[in-house]
Amino acid sequence: MSEPDLFSFAAAKSPESRIRELRTLLEHHNRLYYTQAAPEISDAEYDRLYRELEELEKKHPEFHDPNSPTLRVGGAPIDGFQQIQHAVPMLSIDDVFELKDVPEPAAELIAFYQRLRKNLGRDEITVTVEPKIDGVAVSLLYRDGKLAYAATRGDGKTGDDVTHNVRTIRSIPLDLTSSSKIQNSKFKIPATLEIRGEIFMPNEAFAAMNAERDEEGLPTFANPRNAAAGTLKQLDPKIVAKRPLAFLAHGLGAYDGEPLETEHDFHALLDQLGIPRNQPLFTARNLDEMLECVARINRERHDLDYGTDGAVIKVLDRAERENLGFTSRAPRWAAAYKFLPEQQETTLKNITIQVGRTGVLTPVAELEPVLISGSTVSRATLHNQDEIDRKQIHIGATVLVEKAGEIIPAIVKVTKPVPGVGVYSIFDHAEGKCPSCGGPISQEDGFVAWRCTNFQCPAQAVTRITHFASRKALDLEGLGETVAEALVRHNHCRTPLDLFDLTESILANLNLGTDESPRRYGEKNAAKLLAALEAAKTKPLQRWLFAMGIRQLGESAAKELARLHENLNDLAESPILAELLRDTRADAKKKNELLAKYSITGDVGPAVAESITTFFKSEAGKHTLARLSELGIHPQSPISNLQSPNGPLSGKTVVITGTLSIDRDAMKEYIESKGGKVSGSVSAKTHYVIAGEGGGSKRDKAEQLGVPIIDEAELEKLLQGL
Ligand code: IVH
C-alpha cells in the first residue's frame, strides 16, 4: 500500500470508500505495530489517521462496522511471556503492623519514625502518607516518551513482559509526547523514564464483572487482586481489553530527566506527563501528623475504589532518601503500615451448600447482616469440612467476622457457642447427596473437599460438556467452552448426553454472543458438530469412559479398564473392580497380588474402583446407561484382552510342557502378566514352548514345526531382553 495514493486523493474519495481505505490502512499498521513490532509510520501519523476515521464514522453512522479499528483493542495473542530485566531492581517495602490488644497499636510505626530520626539526626522528618494499593506491581519503561515495555515485578530483578496486555489499559498513556501540558512546563520528556505503580481492578468494576461472569456460568474471581493478576497473565490481550483494569503510579525507577528534589516534584512531573498517580496523598511534617494521616487513611480507605489494607509512608526529600539508603531487600526511607482487619460479631443463622462448576461442595455461612469495612456482610465462605472442624463451626453460634484482604468476608472464630449443638457436617446435612442434583458425593483420598460425582449434575454442566467434547475424550471439534456455555445458558443441554438431542436448527441459531451483540453458531459449524457427534457414537470404550468425567478416572486408567472389560455393562458389573474393592482395603499385599494377576498398572487401584462402582450404582449412573442404550450407543473395547498390553511377551503365544519349578497355573499367570497368551497345544502359530523335566508329545511337535523350545532360565533371559 503506497501512501501518496491514500493522502493526495483522500479528499476526492467518497466517505464510504475513504472509511474502508482507512480501516484497511489502520489495520495494516496496527498489525505491524502490535504483532510484528515493526511500525512503518509514527504514532502521531497513526493517531491522525485514527482520528480521521473516528470523525468520518461519527458523521456517517450508516457505515458502522463492529470490526472497525476504532472499536478494536488489543493485538494478536502471544505465545508466552518474555523475561525482562528491570533497569532498577523492584524492591519491596518493609511492613510494620498495627498491633492488637495493646496500649499503643501503632508502636511499630512509631519505631519506624524513631529510626528515621536516629539515622537523619533530626526530630522532624517530613513524610508522605498514601494508601497501599492492593494490586499487581508493574514497571513501565518509557523511552523518549513512548512506552517501550511493561513488566511485572517477578523476583525483583527480572519480570514478565506484559506490554501486550498493558497497552489495552486505557489509563496508561502509550505516548507521553502527546501530553499537551508538557510543552509549557519546566520538565522535558526524559529519554528514560521508568514508572512504578500498581495495576488493579476497581472494586465496583470487579463486582460488576464477577456478577456478569456468574450469570454466564463462568468461574468468578476470588477478589480484585486475583482478578487483576489473572488478567495480566493472559496471553490474549483481547481478553485483557475487555477487563476493567486501571493503573496508578507510586514510584520512580530508572530516570535521566530534570533533577527531582522531592516526591512533590515527582508528582508534578507525573501530572505534566498525564500519568495517573496514587491519591489521596498527605504530607506530614512530624510524628503526630504522620499518625493522624495514617488514621485518616484507615477511616477513609473504604471509600477508595481499590482494595487497600495499609498505608505507605515515604520520606519526602529525595536527597534524604539517598542518605538513608537500602537494606538488602527494602529502602530504609519507606514503610508499609498494615491495618488490622476490621472485625464484627454476628450470628451464624444457617449454612448452605453451593455446588461449584467442578462439583466441589462449598459450605457458605448465612449471617445476620453486619456492617464491616464500609459494607454489609451477610454471607461468608466456610471453605470445607476441615475448616469447619478446626473452627468448631455450628449453626446458631455467635461468630467473629472479618473481611480478609478487605474484600472477602471470613469467619475468624466462634465467640459464643450454642451448648449442645454439634459441629456442622457437610455430609450429614447434604444427606450424602449433591444439593444441586441429588447425585452421590464423595471425598477423595487426599482431598478435603466433598464433590458431586454425578455425570448429569446441572451445576457442573459446562465443565462436563467441555470435557466430554475435548480432544482426548470424544473429540467434538467446534464444541469448546463458549459453545458449551451457550448451550447450557439457553437450556439446550444440561448433561453431555443431551448433546445427542440437538438439531441442526437449534445449533445453527445458537447465540454465542450477548443480546446486544449476538453471534450465531451458523449452519456450517452446526453440520460439522452433528457429524462429530455421529462419529462419537462408535468411538471405543476407553474414549467414552474418559469422556464421562468420572472422578479419578483419567485417560490411562480408562485405557486399563477398557483392556479389562468389553463394554459399559461389563464394567458396571465388573468382578475385577469388585475384587479390588473387597480385598484391598485392609490388605496391601492382596492388592498387589490382584494387580499382578490382571497385570493392572498403577492407574487403576481401589480409589478408581470405588469411584466407578459408586458411579454405576448411583441413580445418575443407571440413568446414564439407560440413556446411552436409548440413543443406541454401545461403546465397545477393541483392546479388551485381560493381558498386559505391552509386556515383553505381548502378541506371543506360548505352550507349557513338562514339570516346572512352579505349578502350571502360576506359570500361566506369570506369562500372561508379561503380555503373552498361553495355549494348550502346539501349532505353527506357537511362538515358544516352555519345557521343564519330561514333556513328551508337545516337545516332539515343536521340534517338528521348528518352534523354539526354551527352559525357564532361557525364558527369564528372554523376558529381560537378553
Ligand atoms: S512505594 C521501594 N507506594 O507494595 C518500593 N508501593 O509491599 C516503593 N504498593 O513494591 C514502593 N501501593 O508494588 C508504594 N502507594 C504505594 C503502594 C506500593 C502498593 C506495592 C508496591 C511495592 C509493594 C511493597
Side-chain angles (χ1 to χ4, degrees):
M1 219 165 307
S2 72
E3 302 210 343
D5 173 42
L6 282 159
F7 294 115
S8 48
F9 304 113
K13 290 210 161 113
S14 75
E16 188 186 3
S17 66
R18 180 64 181 159
I19 284 175
R20 225 184 292 123
E21 214 163 43
L22 283 165
R23 283 179 181 159
T24 314
L25 189 65
L26 280 164
E27 193 63 357
H28 170 70
H29 287 298
N30 199 53
R31 218 175 22 251
L32 287 177
Y33 190 92
Y34 284 110
T35 316
Q36 291 154 23
E40 282 175 4
I41 57 171
S42 71
D43 285 14
E45 262 164 357
Y46 181 92
D47 286 346
R48 196 163 61 74
L49 295 171
Y50 192 93
R51 277 196 295 274
E52 191 192 342
L53 176 59
E54 251 182 350
E55 303 238 307
L56 278 170
E57 283 179 342
K58 216 184 284 162
K59 272 196 225 141
H60 298 281
E62 69 272 27
F63 302 129
H64 170 80
D65 175 355
N67 284 329
S68 170
T70 53
L71 300 171
R72 185 184 125 111
V73 265
I78 60 162
D79 293 333
F81 292 101
Q82 306 279 327
Q83 294 297 299
I84 281 186
Q85 185 149 16
H86 296 300
V88 171
M90 285 180 85
L91 297 175
S92 57
I93 321 176
D94 281 334
D95 286 333
V96 292
F97 293 93
E98 180 181 6
L99 305 175
K100 211 171 166 173
D101 308 327
V102 294
E104 181 45 90
E108 290 192 359
L109 180 58
I110 296 169
F112 163 72
Y113 201 83
Q114 304 287 25
R115 282 196 297 278
L116 293 180
R117 283 174 166 168
K118 189 171 154 248
N119 286 327
L120 293 172
R122 252 186 316 118
D123 223 32
E124 300 201 330
I125 296 123
T126 305
V127 294
T128 57
V129 184
E130 66 193 280
K132 185 166 196 293
I133 307 163
D134 195 11
V136 182
V138 286
S139 189
L140 309 177
L141 194 108
Y142 291 91
R143 284 204 190 96
D144 296 322
K146 310 261 161 56
L147 181 72
Y149 63 76
T152 60
R153 179 213 296 273
D155 63 4
K157 292 197 183 82
T158 34
D160 285 339
D161 181 346
V162 287
T163 317
H164 64 299
N165 289 338
V166 162
R167 280 196 218 278
T168 69
I169 301 173
R170 287 162 202 265
S171 52
I172 295 182
L174 299 178
D175 182 1
L176 302 175
T177 58
S178 58
S179 167
S180 54
K181 285 189 193 152
I182 195 78
Q183 268 81 358
N184 333 316
S185 96
K186 68 167 177 160
F187 298 108
K188 285 192 207 64
I189 295 211
T192 302
L193 173 68
E194 193 181 24
I195 298 293
R196 262 75 194 266
E198 304 286 305
I199 287 177
F200 61 96
M201 197 171 282
N203 291 338
E204 258 178 50
F206 165 77
M209 183 190 81
N210 249 3
E212 200 174 298
R213 286 177 71 85
D214 198 41
E215 220 156 80
E216 289 176 4
L218 293 168
T220 53
F221 290 101
N223 55 50
R225 215 205 82 84
N226 281 5
T231 302
L232 265 193
K233 280 199 199 117
Q234 294 287 331
L235 296 173
D236 185 352
K238 294 225 175 55
I239 296 175
V240 183
K242 290 190 197 120
R243 306 252 179 99
L245 292 181
F247 171 83
L248 289 172
H250 56 55
L252 183 63
Y255 175 71
D256 64 359
E258 313 283 320
L260 303 169
E261 271 165 33
T262 67
E263 189 75 351
H264 291 324
D265 287 346
F266 171 52
H267 292 153
L269 173 66
L270 289 176
D271 293 347
Q272 299 299 328
L273 293 171
I275 300 173
R277 63 182 169 89
N278 189 25
Q279 293 189 63
L281 181 123
F282 305 118
T283 307
R285 287 162 304 180
N286 54 46
L287 175 62
D288 284 345
E289 282 187 11
M290 176 184 76
L291 293 176
E292 173 43 34
C293 291
V294 165
R296 182 162 168 200
I297 287 184
N298 196 7
R299 279 197 306 275
E300 295 175 2
R301 67 194 160 112
H302 309 302
D303 301 331
L304 294 170
D305 69 347
Y306 53 76
T308 173
D309 60 355
V312 178
I313 299 98
K314 302 176 203 169
V315 170
L316 180 77
D317 190 276
R318 298 180 67 86
E320 280 180 352
R321 289 187 185 184
E322 255 177 57
N323 284 342
L324 288 160
F326 298 84
T327 65
S328 62
R329 38 161 271 131
R332 286 202 188 85
W333 45 261
Y337 184 57
K338 293 297 195 67
F339 300 123
L340 280 172
E342 196 186 322
Q343 300 180 328
Q344 289 294 338
E345 278 192 350
T346 190
T347 314
L348 175 57
K349 290 193 304 187
N350 195 13
I351 294 175
T352 50
I353 300 172
Q354 285 182 346
V355 187
R357 254 167 59 98
T358 54
V360 174
L361 271 51
T362 306
V364 179
E366 308 288 341
L367 306 165
E368 191 58 49
V370 270
L371 195 71
I372 309 177
S373 309
S375 68
T376 306
V377 173
S378 53
R379 313 182 80 201
T381 174
L382 292 166
H383 302 288
N384 52 50
Q385 188 66 50
D386 271 19
E387 177 99 352
I388 291 175
D389 292 344
R390 203 156 40 78
K391 294 180 179 165
Q392 300 278 295
I393 305 271
H394 55 278
I395 293 171
T398 304
V399 292
L400 192 64
V401 181
E402 74 176 26
K403 275 201 198 163
E406 291 312 304
I407 301 295
I408 306 295
I411 293 191
V412 183
K413 61 178 180 190
V414 170
T415 49
K416 234 178 280 149
V418 190
V421 177
V423 170
Y424 181 86
S425 152
I426 298 176
F427 188 85
D428 290 352
H429 274 80
E431 292 172 347
K433 291 186 295 217
C434 168
S436 169
C437 69
I441 61 172
S442 73
Q443 197 177 26
E444 288 158 30
D445 288 351
F447 291 92
V448 289
W450 284 96
R451 268 177 196 274
C452 165
T453 56
N454 175 12
F455 177 58
Q456 321 246 1
C457 179
Q460 304 168 58
V462 174
T463 319
R464 288 189 176 272
I465 291 172
T466 313
H467 172 77
F468 188 78
S470 64
R471 202 167 45 80
K472 289 181 171 170
L474 293 174
D475 195 17
L476 305 175
E477 218 186 304
L479 208 181
E481 201 164 89
T482 315
V483 178
E485 263 155 27
L487 287 169
V488 172
R489 191 168 55 237
H490 299 294
N491 290 324
H492 296 309
C493 289
R494 288 185 63 176
T495 83
L497 291 184
D498 293 344
L499 290 168
F500 293 95
D501 296 330
L502 293 171
T503 62
E504 180 154 0
S505 88
I506 289 180
L507 276 171
N509 293 314
L510 184 68
N511 180 7
L512 304 180
T514 56
D515 286 349
E516 299 86 61
S517 62
R519 184 158 67 90
R520 279 176 92 242
Y521 190 53
E523 274 74 15
K524 226 169 154 183
N525 288 327
K528 262 200 213 150
L529 181 53
L530 287 177
L533 280 162
E534 203 48 44
K537 289 183 176 172
T538 52
K539 287 250 154 85
L541 182 63
Q542 61 268 32
R543 294 284 205 113
W544 272 90
L545 274 177
F546 179 60
M548 288 163 81
I550 301 171
R551 295 299 305 168
Q552 309 270 10
L553 189 57
E555 207 193 345
S556 45
K559 262 194 205 138
E560 268 302 274
L561 290 169
R563 188 174 64 75
L564 301 165
H565 304 87
E566 298 259 321
N567 53 44
L568 286 173
N569 291 328
D570 257 19
L571 194 69
E573 281 147 27
S574 169
I576 302 178
L577 294 184
E579 239 182 302
L580 255 174
L581 265 186
R582 190 179 55 229
D583 293 345
T584 60
R585 282 270 157 231
D587 192 339
K589 190 170 150 238
K590 266 248 169 81
K591 169 183 153 190
N592 289 336
E593 273 171 24
L594 254 178
L595 294 182
K597 175 168 162 197
Y598 299 109
S599 36
I600 298 174
T601 65
D603 297 315
V604 175
V608 175
E610 172 156 9
S611 175
I612 293 178
T613 311
T614 314
F615 174 74
F616 283 114
K617 274 209 200 111
S618 71
E619 280 312 305
K622 287 182 198 152
H623 181 84
T624 303
L625 286 184
R627 272 293 281 145
L628 282 170
S629 176
E630 257 170 47
L631 290 163
I633 300 173
H634 304 285
Q636 294 294 314
S637 170
I639 52 171
S640 144
N641 65 15
L642 263 186
Q643 288 157 19
S644 174
N646 39 25
L649 289 178
S650 113
K652 302 276 190 268
T653 305
V654 176
V655 172
I656 305 168
T657 186
T659 311
L660 302 161
S661 64
I662 51 174
D663 75 32
R664 283 269 170 107
D665 280 342
M667 180 53 95
K668 181 167 184 270
E669 263 184 34
Y670 181 61
I671 287 167
E672 282 172 350
S673 78
K674 303 294 177 191
K677 213 173 118 191
V678 175
S679 162
S681 57
V682 180
S683 75
K685 287 187 188 144
T686 308
H687 292 91
Y688 302 105
V689 168
I690 299 170
E693 298 270 338
S697 63
K698 286 181 187 164
R699 186 188 276 270
D700 296 345
K701 182 89 182 273
E703 267 166 7
Q704 251 175 40
L705 293 170
V707 175
I709 302 170
I710 58 176
D711 62 19
E712 279 178 77
E714 287 169 299
L715 174 66
E716 264 327 297
K717 278 194 194 155
L718 188 77
L719 290 177
Q720 279 155 32
L722 299 171

